[in-house]
Each structure stands twice: as C-alpha cells, then as structure tokens.
C-alpha cells in the first residue's frame, strides 16, 4: 500500500481480484447454480485486451460474477468465465485501446485494434460495466467502502454504484464501492463490456497482420 488518507485510498498495483478467493468462489458457485449471467448475452470465445491512460469513474462498485459464453471459436459448446464486475455510473477515459486477435484460416493471426480518446477529447460512458479477468494499473478511491453486500451497491441512501445488473449473483456477497475511482496506466483482459451510452471520440479501427505487443494494445 502506497498511502492511505481520510476519504481516499491508493494502491500502487490494483488487481481487480480484490474479492477474497473464498467469496469469489462462492459467488461463482451460486451464479452457476442459479444460471445467473454477469453479461446480458452469451460472450464470444475470445477475451480481448483493453488499455487506458486514465479512467475517472464516478459512482463505482465492484463484485464477483460469471459470464457464460462459447468455449471456443468452433461449435456451440458453452463454458463459464469467472469475472470481477467493475461498474460506474459514468466514466471519462483517455487514450483507450481495445484489441482482439483472430486466427484466420489460410491467412494467419489478424489483430483488430480500436483506439479512441487520444486526440484531446475523452471517451465518455454512462452505466458502464466491465467484466474483467485480469487488470493491472494504479488506482485511487475516494470515500471507499470495502465489504458492502453486492445487492446494496445500488440501494438508495447506501449504494454508490449503478444498478446491479443481476441481483441473483450472490446478492449478499462481498462487494466494494466508492464515490470516485481513478485508474491510471490500465492494462486489462475482459470478456465483456456493456454501457448505456459509449461515446468514442476520435475513433480509429484497423486490422493488423500478426499479434503481440507491436500490433495489440499490449
């Protein structure tokens, strides 16, 4: 821990697997038993990478969940992907990058890369939900509550985050929330992103031959 001040907490390295392992395992088990989905759709068989220079989110909450999706790029087999769901009432993002790699028959690996918010105008999102499997970066929280029940993160007078997408995901399970979350130097892998609105200023999308840090976001 780098520092702790009244009303704010900062970690040098922030992993979204802050949910204790026992709580996360329980959340996954209950979600599977009840058929609960973190994302409102069956996710694809491909994780994607995302980076951001800075993400400033107001109305932050985070809890464990499961994304059900396709096991791979072939067939209809499904599998469960444990995720940490980070939610924001609204967020501003600078230097955003998103990339995904596909192995195309007779062509080889092709990287689809999207960038936005790198020309002076931030990306803006409302009711943003990030279903993440890995995250590294720096984070600062303002007025953080750790150990809140997941179902209460949107409760009037108590909760700080947006609406809980699916309260059947261990509603009394571990969660955390904050008035403001500021993340910098973000690198993450995710299965899904959903938002009420997503405004991508300076959007650029390109296809690149190959994969790796030279063509992917990292």
């Amino acid at each position: 821990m780098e520092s702790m001040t009244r009303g704010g907490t900062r970690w040098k390295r922030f992993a979204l697997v802050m949910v204790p392992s026992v709580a996360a395992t329980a959340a996954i088990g209950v979600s599977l038993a009840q058929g609960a989905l973190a994302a409102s759709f069956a996710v694809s068989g491909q994780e994607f990478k995302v980076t951001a220079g800075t993400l400033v989110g107001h109305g932050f909450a985070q809890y464990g969940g499961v994304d059900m999706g396709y096991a791979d790029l072939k067939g209809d087999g499904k599998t469960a992907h444990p995720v940490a769901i980070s939610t924001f009432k609204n967020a501003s993002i600078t230097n955003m990058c998103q990339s995904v790699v596909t192995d195309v028959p007779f062509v080889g690996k092709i990287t689809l890369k999207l960038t936005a918010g790198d020309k002076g105008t931030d990306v803006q999102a409302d009711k943003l939900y990030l279903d993440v499997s890995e995250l590294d970066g720096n984070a600062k929280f303002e007025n953080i509550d750790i150990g809140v029940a997941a179902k209460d993160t949107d409760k009037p007078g108590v909760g700080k985050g947006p609406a809980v997408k699916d309260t059947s995901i261990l509603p009394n399970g571990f969660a955390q929330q904050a008035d403001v979350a500021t993340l910098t130097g973000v690198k993450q892998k995710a299965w899904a992103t959903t938002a009420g609105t997503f405004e991508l200023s300076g959007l650029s999308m390109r296809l690149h031959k190959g994969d790796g840090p030279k063509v992917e976001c990292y």
Side-chain angles (χ1 to χ4, degrees):
M1 186 176 294
E2 187 177 80
S3 66
M4 181 178 292
T5 59
R6 184 176 179 82
T9 305
R10 181 190 296 272
W11 282 271
K12 181 62 178 175
R13 286 181 63 79
F14 172 64
L16 275 185
V17 193
M18 288 180 61
V19 180
S21 58
V22 174
T25 301
I28 293 165
V30 170
S31 298
L32 289 175
Q34 297 182 353
L37 292 179
S40 57
F41 48 86
V43 301
S44 74
Q46 297 173 278
E47 272 188 305
F48 55 92
K49 294 180 178 179
V50 180
T51 60
T54 302
L55 185 156
V56 179
H58 292 80
F60 163 79
Q62 182 188 79
Y63 36 83
V66 174
D67 282 352
M68 292 298 297
Y70 295 99
D72 51 42
L73 299 184
K74 299 178 180 179
D76 294 325
K78 299 288 183 66
T79 190
H81 304 289
V83 291
I85 307 169
S86 290
T87 71
F88 306 88
K89 286 184 177 179
N90 56 75
S92 296
I93 307 168
T94 65
N95 298 321
M96 192 191 81
C97 175
Q98 177 179 302
S99 64
V100 63
V101 179
T102 301
D103 199 350
V104 180
F106 309 110
V107 176
K109 292 183 177 180
I110 299 294
T111 296
L112 172 63
K113 185 176 181 180
L114 176 154
T115 60
D118 56 355
K119 295 178 175 62
T121 302
D122 296 352
V123 170
Q124 300 291 331
D126 292 320
K127 298 178 182 177
L128 177 64
Y129 299 81
L130 308 174
D131 297 1
V132 176
S133 61
E134 296 180 14
L135 185 147
D136 292 299
N138 303 318
K140 178 181 178 180
F141 301 98
E142 298 177 32
N143 297 322
I144 188 169
D145 303 318
I146 299 175
V148 181
K151 70 179 181 183
D152 288 340
T153 58
D154 63 358
K155 185 177 181 180
V158 177
K160 297 177 179 178
V164 176
K165 288 198 298 181
D166 194 331
T167 55
S168 64
I169 299 178
L170 202 64
N172 294 335
F174 178 96
Q176 56 188 0
Q177 60 180 8
D179 287 340
V180 183
T182 301
L183 284 66
T184 58
V186 178
K187 293 182 178 181
Q188 70 178 33
K189 289 183 179 180
W191 286 105
T193 296
T194 59
T197 61
F198 212 10
E199 298 181 31
L200 302 176
S201 174
L203 173 64
S204 173
M205 187 174 67
R206 299 287 187 273
L207 293 173
H208 302 275
K209 178 73 173 177
D211 62 348
K214 291 185 178 181
V215 292
E216 298 178 65
C217 294
Y218 66 91

